[in-house]
Amino acid sequence: CAVEYAPFMLVGMGKNNPRFWSDWGTTLMRLAEYRNESRFIEDAVEKYGICVSLCLEEGEENPFKAEFLYNYGCSLDFLGDFSDDESYYERSIEALTESVELDSNHSHARYNLALSLSHLGELTNDIDCFKKAIAYYEVLAEEDQEDEMTWNEWGLVLLNLAQLLKDPSDPEHDLKLYHEAEIRLLRAVSLGSLMAYYNLTCLYSLTGHIPSAMHFLGKAEANQILPSIDDMMHDEWLQNLRKTNDFQAFINLLLAKRKQG
């Protein structure tokens, strides 16, 4: 494993070489994705952090500083997902913001900055975070109308915002936000996004359109992108759907399939 031998490569590669530390961090990130273990992400954050520190020592001389900050920001966001610690998201936003400032054409950095903002918004119920994320998704969609990930995440942010701004005295405002989320999620589906199926399930459950919710739940199951049964049974957005006989039958069918498999 490259990670196991990496300490012995320091002499040959040069421990003051930012690229070495960045490559080491990238290897750890791939292991984290494969093994789904936070210890690899923590190590990746450390290695990327060393890389960025070395870049700071070099001043403006390193042409790859934006790339290194992007990697560092992504690793911090990933660790935030594991730990539910808002400080990691805050540090991710800081690193990715600097990456975007250094390279305004770095669309991946802007996309991941929007993701980190939305993740922090979900954790802290911060409306401003969602609004900032939406501003980035608007720009990204203008640049690439065919990017299904942007449309899916944009729809999900609007769905979160609709829940936070829910106002029983102004149902029309709520419906407007749900409709905007629906437009973007359906656009994502039309472009090939599989993750949008479950997000549409949640949207139609929240808005009481049960047949549509069941339709997209079936689509999500057919494409093997459903969360665990336990997660679905505790998903607040599926509360309306869980009350129906159709959902109970769907869950029973899933359980029967898993017993057979």
Side-chain angles (χ1 to χ4, degrees):
C1 175
V3 175
E4 295 175 337
Y5 291 104
F8 303 102
M9 296 163 58
L10 278 169
V11 175
M13 293 292 296
K15 64 180 181 179
N16 293 322
N17 184 337
R19 173 60 65 185
F20 167 76
W21 292 99
S22 178
D23 289 347
W24 192 355
T26 299
T27 301
L28 287 160
M29 282 288 283
R30 288 173 180 164
L31 270 173
E33 292 168 356
Y34 178 72
R35 299 281 292 275
N36 199 35
E37 294 181 25
S38 62
R39 64 190 180 99
F40 291 121
I41 307 173
E42 292 167 358
D43 286 346
V45 166
E46 179 191 12
K47 303 305 181 286
Y48 284 137
I50 293 171
C51 169
V52 170
S53 295
L54 290 171
C55 282
L56 290 175
E57 291 176 8
E58 295 178 355
E60 301 299 324
E61 296 176 6
N62 196 309
F64 302 104
K65 187 177 178 182
E67 174 194 336
F68 296 150
L69 282 163
Y70 165 72
N71 291 336
Y72 185 42
C74 289
S75 67
L76 286 163
D77 179 72
F78 199 176
L79 188 53
D81 291 343
F82 265 86
S83 64
D84 283 336
D85 185 336
E86 62 186 82
S87 68
Y88 290 122
Y89 292 131
E90 289 168 349
R91 289 165 59 193
S92 172
I93 291 166
E94 183 180 352
L96 290 168
T97 298
E98 188 173 354
S99 178
V100 170
E101 289 173 350
L102 287 168
D103 183 359
S104 59
N105 294 318
H106 199 329
S107 60
H108 292 301
R110 272 184 285 131
Y111 174 79
N112 282 277
L113 175 54
L115 275 183
S116 289
L117 283 163
S118 61
H119 292 161
L120 181 59
E122 289 176 29
L123 186 62
T124 62
N125 291 331
D126 189 324
I127 292 171
D128 286 339
C129 283
F130 288 128
K131 289 182 176 179
K132 289 176 183 176
I134 287 170
Y136 281 110
Y137 287 130
E138 287 176 347
V139 173
L140 287 163
E142 286 178 6
E143 292 179 346
D144 185 359
Q145 290 284 324
E146 305 301 311
D147 186 353
E148 72 273 11
M149 293 188 297
T150 291
W151 290 100
N152 176 60
E153 293 298 334
W154 191 359
L156 185 57
V157 168
L158 286 166
L159 199 50
N160 275 289
L161 196 57
Q163 287 299 101
L164 276 181
L165 297 177
K166 197 169 184 180
D167 184 359
S169 67
D170 188 7
E172 288 300 319
H173 179 264
D174 297 343
L175 288 174
K176 182 175 181 294
L177 282 174
Y178 285 129
H179 182 59
E180 289 181 3
E182 180 184 30
I183 289 172
R184 286 150 184 81
L185 291 172
L186 288 173
R187 172 71 171 163
V189 164
S190 72
L191 293 170
S193 171
L194 300 181
M195 297 305 298
Y197 286 137
Y198 185 74
N199 292 334
L200 281 164
T201 301
C202 292
L203 184 150
Y204 289 125
S205 173
L206 288 168
T207 55
H209 294 86
I210 301 305
S212 295
M214 288 302 306
H215 170 75
F216 284 104
L217 186 66
K219 289 280 190 180
E221 194 272 334
N223 286 277
Q224 300 181 336
I225 50 91
L226 279 179
S228 68
I229 292 177
D230 185 63
D231 285 344
M232 287 190 288
M233 296 305 293
H234 292 89
D235 191 332
E236 294 180 1
W237 289 359
L238 295 186
Q239 184 175 356
N240 290 333
L241 192 59
R242 280 197 298 272
K243 298 175 183 178
T244 67
N245 292 331
D246 285 344
F247 181 81
Q248 291 299 325
F250 179 84
I251 293 297
N252 290 336
L253 183 60
L254 279 184
L255 290 170
K257 284 182 179 179
R258 293 186 183 184
K259 283 183 181 179
Q260 294 174 357

